[in-house]
Structures are given as structure tokens and as C-alpha cells.
Amino acid sequence: MRKLLIFLPAILMFSCHSNPAQDLENKKLNSLATEYVRLGLNIGQYDTDFVDAYYGPDSLKPKQEPAKEFPKDSLLANANSLMNELTLIANSSTVDTNRMRANWMADQLVAFGRRIRIFSGEERSFDEESRELFGVAAPIYSEDYFKAQIAHLDSILPGKGRVNDRFQKLANKFIIPKDKLDAVMQAAIAEARKRTLAHYKLPAGESFTLEYVKDKPWSGYNWYKGNYKSTVQINTDLKVFIDRAIDVGSHESYPGHHVYNMLLEQHLYHDKGWVEISMYPLFSPQSLIAEGSANYGIEVAFPGEDKAKFAKNVLLPLAGLDTAGIDLYFKALAIKGNLNYARNEAARGLINNTLSRDKARTYLTKYCLMNDETADKSLSFIKKYRSYVINYNYGQDLVKNYIERNGGTAKAPEKRWELFGKLLSNEVPPASLINK
């Protein structure tokens, strides 16, 4: 397992005097990083979902209009050539940071190759795809596991009948009225930002713009613009429940995607000149870290009962909603959280052609406790983003377990914030998170 460098004192990284061989290696690595970015931006001309963010120099953007036909073979050849050269550096370098950068980019290029093939219509199984795109395969959960969680939920929900119906009846008490949505979202994000600023010094001038959109397959999205600016979009196709204001707000902004992208830009792009980080390819191992940390960041910012208390004391009154039943609702949500992997199983079945769309939809309503509109939206997400779904649940678990394994437990919040910040500020290979 490759070791992360985030725990090494900076003096160890830079104490050696440069020498001609090392200077040549650095120059070569920076040249390959530039070609890595050019390749990603070129792929993005055809696959418009490929590049999620880019804030590097305009000189690296494609100079020519895209060809009429997708140049699959030449793109794959370029990716393989770059990967081979980076692997040589990784295997021969005596400089830890160079070895880390080379390995990180090589892993990303494996994902480039798989995405090129997917865009060309060449599909593999769910697990094979996720290994190549995101560096891991998520664990498989049987229906018995989900049934046990449903039984637990059944025991605490009032009334009789289907668990999903009873859960939806409880949840529907806490739908944010549309005319209150902006105020509630702004308050949730402001609180998340305040809690983040208590631990991190963020770049001067950082900011985000909040927008409300429709007709999207996701509930929220962060479009990072560079220069420490983001556009955060909230999808209003679906009802927004009070807990989602905190979850989506924190995930997309503080200490989630907005902070993650800012820290990478500040520490790696500006401070170190690592041009490869200026381009974020969505279908890559980087997304496992990005989505996993954004989801775990909710718990970091609102540990224990804090989320329920903030919703009860601040957000519900702001939304004009009654607080009766909110404690039971958050208790039910904690159990529902154990059902998140059911979406992976629905996606696995769809991609492996072992579940029809109707059966996958039933799986989502029965085991994820989604209402009909949310299940349909989730199916649209799976159709578009495929195995990307593992980044939310398995990514979160990997990040959580890694940080807690290294001392960042609920009883050591300062350590947790410290480790979380280091994770957000470095090129982290998914293999480094796995306890072997």
C-alpha cells in the first residue's frame, strides 16, 4: 500500500538540495502533468461530463475544434503512453513527492481509459467498471441485510402498514416550503461555514453563489470555478426535507466540495505548481475522495446530535415548521442511513443487466425508502453516472474509517478536523484509505 505523505513534516520533503538528476526528473514530471491536463481537456471536448472543473491556463485548452468522430484509439494510445512514462518515474524516483504524484496521475489515467471506452459504448460489469474508474469496488450487501434494517425501522415508526409509507408520512412533516427554501439553505450553509472557519483558514476572497435549478438528475451540485469561487446549485424538482438542507449545503460547500477544491487549488496548484490538479476529471479516483469526504464532512461539521439540534432550534422555526416528531425523524434517518448501499445494488443490477428498471425502482422504494419521485430521479442519476454511486456511500465509509483509525474520533474533534483537512489538501490514492 502506498503511503500518504500528508503526515510527513514538510522539512523531510524539501530538505534535500536539488541535483541535476532530480531537476531533470522534476522537469519531466511537470511536462507529463501538462500533457495529462491537455489529454483530459481533449476528452472533455467530446464527453462533456468528463471535466468537472478546470482553472489552469488557457494555453492547455484544445486549439482545434473536435473531430466529427470520437478519436477513441488515439485518446487511448495517449493515455497509455502517459501512464507508462509516469509508472517509470514512480518506480525509479527517490523523491517521495515525485513518486506520489506519478502514481496518482497513473491511477487517474486508468480511469481515463475506462471512461473513453464507456463513452464509445464498451461496457464492463459494475465492479470492474468502478475499480477502473474509482480505484475500488464497493462491498455487496444482501437483501437480508436491508430487511434487518427495515425491521428495525418498523419497530420505531408509529402506525401500521408499509414501512416506506409510514416513514414518508413522518418525513413529509419536515418538507421545507418553497418560499422558505432560500432562507433555510442560506442559514444551513452559513452555520457549516462558521464551523469550518473555526478550524481552517480559508483563502482570502473565497465565496460561492447559490442557485436553484430544475430538470437535473442530482439534488445538488458544486461547479468549482477556480480562484476560490464556486456556484452551488440546488435542484428543486424534488421536495427538500429539513435534514437535506444541512446535508446538501455542507456537502456542496463547507466543509465539502467548495473547501476541497479550494484547498487543492491553494496548496497544490498555487503553492507547489502542480498543474495536474487544475483539472478535475469527474470519472476518476479523485471523485471517491471528493464525494466521500463531502459526505463525511457533514458528520465532521455536525457531530453527534448537533445536526438534529440545529434543525430543531434554527431551521425548523425558520421554515415555519412544527418541531413535533423531529427527534423520532432523526432517529429514523440514522437507521435509513444504513440502507444507503441499496442504491449500489440497484445500480449493480441495472448495469449488470440482472434487474429491470421496474425492479430496480422497486428496490429503491422498498430498501432505500425513497418516494416515487426520488426513486425516478435516482434511476436517472444511475443511467447517466453509472457506478459513480459508490463514491457517496463506500467513499464516505472509507474516509470515515481512515480518519477514525488514525485518531480522528468523535472524542477527538480537533484531531478529526486536522486529519480531514490534510485529506482535502493532497493527492490521495483510494488504496491509501483501505486498512490492509
Side-chain angles (χ1 to χ4, degrees):
M1 183 178 70
R2 300 179 196 131
K3 295 181 179 178
L4 286 179
L5 300 178
I6 56 179
F7 299 107
L8 293 177
I11 191 171
L12 291 181
M13 295 183 184
F14 303 107
S15 60
C16 297
H17 295 291
S18 65
N19 57 62
Q22 183 178 321
D23 290 343
L24 184 63
E25 181 178 276
N26 290 342
K27 185 177 180 180
K28 177 65 174 176
L29 189 56
N30 288 333
S31 175
L32 292 173
T34 297
E35 292 308 308
Y36 163 91
V37 172
R38 288 187 195 276
L39 175 60
L41 296 178
N42 193 11
I43 297 169
Q45 283 194 108
Y46 302 91
D47 181 357
T48 55
D49 293 318
F50 186 78
V51 178
D52 195 65
Y54 178 65
Y55 47 81
D58 288 342
S59 60
L60 299 187
K61 294 179 180 179
K63 301 294 190 296
Q64 298 178 336
E65 291 296 316
K68 291 183 179 180
E69 293 187 7
F70 182 55
K72 170 193 163 187
D73 293 338
S74 63
L75 292 174
L76 284 174
N78 288 343
N80 289 333
S81 176
L82 274 175
M83 188 163 47
N84 290 337
E85 291 189 75
L86 286 162
T87 301
L88 285 175
I89 293 178
N91 291 338
S92 62
S93 179
T94 58
V95 180
D96 286 340
T97 49
N98 286 352
R99 186 165 57 249
M100 179 194 72
R101 285 182 70 194
N103 274 324
W104 186 84
M105 281 188 278
D107 287 347
Q108 295 278 104
L109 285 163
V110 172
F112 281 32
R114 172 46 43 201
R115 182 62 188 181
I116 289 168
R117 290 182 172 90
I118 291 172
F119 191 74
S120 301
E122 294 182 23
E123 299 179 358
R124 302 189 72 180
S125 72
F126 183 84
D127 288 341
E128 289 173 322
E129 177 183 303
S130 67
R131 284 191 188 95
E132 292 189 47
L133 289 180
F134 310 115
V136 296
I140 297 173
Y141 286 83
S142 69
E143 282 195 66
D144 287 341
Y145 169 81
F146 300 125
K147 288 176 180 177
Q149 302 303 318
I150 293 294
H152 187 190
L153 201 54
D154 185 29
S155 70
I156 71 164
L157 289 173
K160 295 181 179 180
R162 289 199 321 156
V163 170
N164 192 346
D165 293 339
R166 288 151 60 204
F167 174 78
Q168 295 301 331
K169 184 178 180 179
L170 175 62
N172 286 342
K173 296 178 180 179
F174 306 109
I175 298 170
I176 304 169
K178 289 191 174 182
D179 63 336
K180 305 288 187 181
L181 181 59
D182 184 61
V184 172
M185 289 300 309
Q186 295 282 5
I189 293 176
E191 180 66 17
R193 184 175 187 272
K194 183 180 76 172
R195 292 175 180 228
T196 302
L197 285 172
H199 300 275
Y200 303 149
K201 182 179 180 180
L202 299 179
E206 64 87 11
S207 65
F208 69 93
T209 301
L210 188 61
E211 296 179 351
Y212 299 94
V213 297
K214 289 181 174 292
D215 301 321
K216 304 295 182 182
W218 33 258
S219 59
Y221 210 107
N222 176 294
W223 301 100
Y224 190 67
K225 305 298 185 180
N227 197 30
Y228 314 129
K229 302 288 192 295
S230 289
T231 296
V232 173
Q233 293 184 334
I234 306 299
N235 186 5
T236 58
D237 287 344
L238 303 175
K239 300 178 182 72
V240 182
F241 298 86
I242 203 71
D243 54 297
R244 295 297 292 162
I246 300 173
D247 289 354
V248 176
S250 297
H251 179 102
E252 305 300 346
S253 59
Y254 307 89
H257 290 321
H258 181 57
V259 173
Y260 173 69
N261 285 304
M262 284 195 298
L263 293 182
L264 290 178
E265 181 181 1
Q266 181 182 44
H267 295 302
L268 301 187
Y269 182 65
H270 291 302
D271 292 353
K272 295 183 178 181
W274 293 6
V275 70
E276 70 269 18
I277 209 67
S278 67
M279 180 193 65
Y280 170 22
L282 186 65
F283 299 96
S284 71
Q286 189 177 353
S287 281
L288 184 86
I289 307 301
E291 301 294 359
S293 64
N295 264 2
Y296 180 60
I298 302 165
E299 182 179 338
V300 174
F302 294 89
E305 300 296 321
D306 278 14
K307 188 164 75 167
K309 289 178 181 177
F310 181 68
K312 186 175 184 177
N313 297 331
V314 178
L315 297 187
L316 285 174
L318 196 59
L321 297 175
D322 196 335
T323 61
I326 191 65
D327 293 332
L328 176 61
Y329 178 56
F330 272 93
K331 185 177 180 181
L333 285 174
I335 301 170
K336 183 176 180 287
N338 296 328
L339 295 165
N340 285 339
Y341 279 90
R343 186 162 75 145
N344 290 10
E345 300 310 322
R348 181 180 276 113
L350 285 169
I351 290 173
N352 292 348
N353 293 314
T354 58
L355 280 182
S356 66
R357 179 183 171 88
D358 286 345
K359 288 185 177 179
R361 188 177 186 275
T362 299
Y363 211 93
L364 292 173
T365 56
K366 182 177 181 179
Y367 293 127
C368 285
L369 299 182
M370 294 181 179
N371 57 32
D372 290 340
E373 60 178 357
T374 304
D376 287 336
K377 189 67 69 175
S378 188
L379 289 172
S380 297
F381 185 95
I382 292 168
K383 182 179 180 180
K384 182 176 179 65
Y385 295 103
R386 301 174 58 82
S387 62
Y388 194 92
V389 294
I390 73 162
N391 295 320
Y392 298 102
N393 41 51
Y394 191 44
Q396 177 182 347
D397 285 348
L398 287 175
V399 169
K400 175 183 174 72
N401 293 339
Y402 169 79
I403 288 179
E404 294 188 353
R405 194 166 64 242
N406 286 283
T409 63
K411 294 181 179 179
E414 290 299 327
K415 184 68 173 178
R416 175 184 276 183
W417 277 101
E418 176 192 345
L419 293 172
F420 188 67
K422 288 177 178 177
L423 195 70
L424 299 183
S425 304
N426 288 272
E427 294 177 344
V428 180
S432 300
L433 303 182
I434 299 173
N435 186 21
K436 294 183 178 181

